[in-house]
Amino acid sequence: MGKPGDKLKKVRLTTPVSAEAIAKLEIGSVVTLDGCIYTGREGVYKRILDDGTTPPVDLAALSNVNFHCSPAAAVRDDGSYRVGAVTATASFRFAKWLPRWFEVSGARVIIGKGGMSAEDYKNIFVPAGAVYLTTVGYGTGALLGRGIKHVKAAHWLDDLGIAQAMWVFEVENFGPFLVESDLQGNSLFEQANAQIATGLKALYAGTRPAILSRYGETDERSDELI
Amino acid sequence: MIAIDIIQRAAEDLMAKAAIEIPDDYLAGVEDMANTERGDLSAFVLRAMLENYVAAKEDRRAMCADTGVPRWYVKIGNDARMEGGPVALESTLRRATAKATHDVPLRPNRVHPLWRTDHNNNVGINAPEIEYSFEPDANWIDVTAVHKGGLFGTDYRMLFPGDGVEGIKRFFLDTLVAFGKRGLACQPAIVGIGLGGSKDTCMTLGKQAACLRVVGNRNPDPKIAALEEELKELGNSIGMGAMGFVGSSMVVDCHIEAGYTHTGGMPMSVHCFCLSSRRAVARIHADGRVETRTDPQWFTPYMRRETVEWESPETSLKKSG
């Protein structure tokens, strides 16, 4: 008998990931990537979308995979780069930039931590033909670091710093990732949350609400907290 | 007199060790969970993490790119003397942080909260934190490096005596479920709980309980030890596992530290360490020997004393003999 998790479907994708390959992805499948990816998070989004700065390269020609990541990296004295571990940062904070980001960048695969809401998938990702892959763990920093074969560029390193710069990586067997959203707008995380939620009432039995409540536990601002 | 360059080398080594080598106690805890986890996705995640620990050691590469907010815990023996005194010690820990950030490499995470200025070395205003404790009848210094994530998995609440243990359980569950969804807490983790103290002490104790006690360690108060076991079981029965997928792997261990608090209150903090619980310790002896280990041995009987005066166990033994 196999171990739990052995039967997860495995998919290997090459960048730019084709519309057909994206359409075939099923939530819960394990993905590894080959090709080229670039990092971009709030620093890059703000600069390009809020400040109107022209992207440092033709993003659509580069890759359609945008990684919400900051590598553990250092610049050597000769100006070359050393990348150690690589893990993602929580993506939900970046949802507000994504509708325009998909237009400007041509990205169709977003990799990050924790996913976004199914509502965001339906409203933002599906119309753009895009899906979300989540990193595993979090995080498998050393495994992902191994998958980076070459640093092609680190744009805006001086202005944004190592953590926020746009890193362009050539990758091979880069992963593992899990398919978190599909082109129907389903979310693997939300499916898990819904399933777990069914048991929470029994779990909380016997506990009681705190004597002093907090705003946020009620949406009604005129509510007394005691 | 402990030479400052010995502390410097030891501290640089600790930064790398903490980042790269999973502590044995935590590894054994995660292996146990990987063997018992029945959820497909959660089990897959745990196995990937176990592979990741091996890859990190083989490549001498950090386990996780998120360095968190690297920090130091220093326990100074009452009879220890350091070259240059405490100011030199602090300088050397800041230097080691900056150097290791470049050399390992670690991600420079530390930025100004408003201006987002990044020195690319994890050093800045009030960073890294350096916390101190002292130990009687000792002439060594223990230095512990901890890299703990900084965004999710921690919460504080002012509870009251009337909330009781049921209130403690409720807040514990609230925190784990809230941050466990989508795996934001990077569970399964060692969960530390601070109970009592003033607000800041409550947070500090909970964080130290998560980061400075090893898997399997129990509070010396038998009733608190029983509550640790109970909360561990409770956390693992939420129905949630790694990354918030269906499963049973949430709490590798639960540690509670108590502090005397305001007579009207029972403040509580909950802190999740992470799936790469990163700590490394060195004892630097007066003669310059350096011994490394993974158990910080932070909460000594002296740390948990509740009397006005301190009598060392040896002294009290002699008196009773």
Side-chain angles (χ1 to χ4, degrees), chain A residues 5-6 82 146 204 214 217, chain B residues 40 47 58 103 156-157:
Chain A
D6 279 351
R82 202 154 73 89
R146 274 184 176 178
Y204 271 80
R214 302 193 282 204
E217 290 172 342
Chain B
D40 281 318
R47 289 214 297 280
E58 280 176 2
D103 290 354
Y156 164 86
R157 182 155 201 160

Side-chain angles (χ1 to χ4, degrees), chain A residues 4-6 70 75 82 84-85 87 114 116 135 137-138 140-143 146 189-190 204 206 211-212 214 217, chain B residues 40 47 52 58-59 61-63 65-66 102-103 107 120 156-157 162-163 166 170 174 182-183 186 243-244 275:
Chain A
D6 279 351
S70 314
V75 184
R82 202 154 73 89
T87 40
M116 301 198 179
T135 52
Y138 310 93
T140 55
L143 294 178
R146 274 184 176 178
F189 285 125
E190 292 200 6
Y204 271 80
I211 289 169
L212 178 68
R214 302 193 282 204
E217 290 172 342
Chain B
D40 281 318
R47 289 214 297 280
N52 188 61
E58 280 176 2
D59 295 7
R61 202 190 277 276
M63 292 180 268
D66 188 344
H102 179 272
D103 290 354
R107 192 168 91 197
N120 278 336
Y156 164 86
R157 182 155 201 160
D163 281 305
E166 293 313 321
R170 176 90 165 212
D174 285 345
R182 298 167 181 264
C186 296
M243 284 178 77
L275 245 170

Side-chain angles (χ1 to χ4, degrees), chain A residues 46-102:
Chain A
K46 270 177 74 100
R47 194 159 187 166
I48 294 175
L49 299 178
D50 297 353
D51 305 345
T53 309
T54 309
V57 284
D58 180 355
L59 289 170
L62 189 68
S63 173
N64 63 356
V65 182
N66 172 198
F67 192 10
H68 289 158
C69 156
S70 314
V75 184
R76 292 195 190 96
D77 290 341
D78 66 3
S80 65
Y81 309 110
R82 202 154 73 89
V83 176
V86 176
T87 40
T89 195
S91 300
F92 66 87
R93 300 169 287 165
F94 312 140
K96 68 168 185 175
W97 284 295
L98 282 189
R100 285 181 55 219
W101 182 250
F102 283 136

Side-chain angles (χ1 to χ4, degrees), chain A residues 10 36 50 57 59 84 88 98 126 151-152 156 178 203 221:
Chain A
K10 293 183 175 58
C36 178
D50 297 353
V57 284
L59 289 170
L98 282 189
V126 174
V151 179
K152 294 176 99 166
W156 294 337
L178 287 166
L203 181 77
R221 295 295 155 190

Side-chain angles (χ1 to χ4, degrees), chain B residues 92 146 160 203 279-280:
Chain B
T92 210
V146 167
F160 300 93
M203 286 300 281
R279 57 172 139 76

Side-chain angles (χ1 to χ4, degrees), chain B residues 35-90:
Chain B
N35 289 332
T36 53
E37 178 60 78
R38 304 307 305 159
D40 281 318
L41 288 162
S42 182
F44 169 78
V45 173
L46 292 179
R47 289 214 297 280
M49 290 307 294
L50 291 172
E51 277 174 41
N52 188 61
Y53 303 147
V54 175
K57 278 190 197 170
E58 280 176 2
D59 295 7
R60 299 307 294 167
R61 202 190 277 276
M63 292 180 268
C64 181
D66 188 344
T67 318
V69 279
R71 55 160 55 227
W72 299 96
Y73 293 92
V74 181
K75 192 184 282 296
I76 302 174
N78 193 41
D79 305 316
R81 297 294 174 268
M82 306 160 278
E83 180 192 357
V87 170
L89 173 71
E90 294 208 319

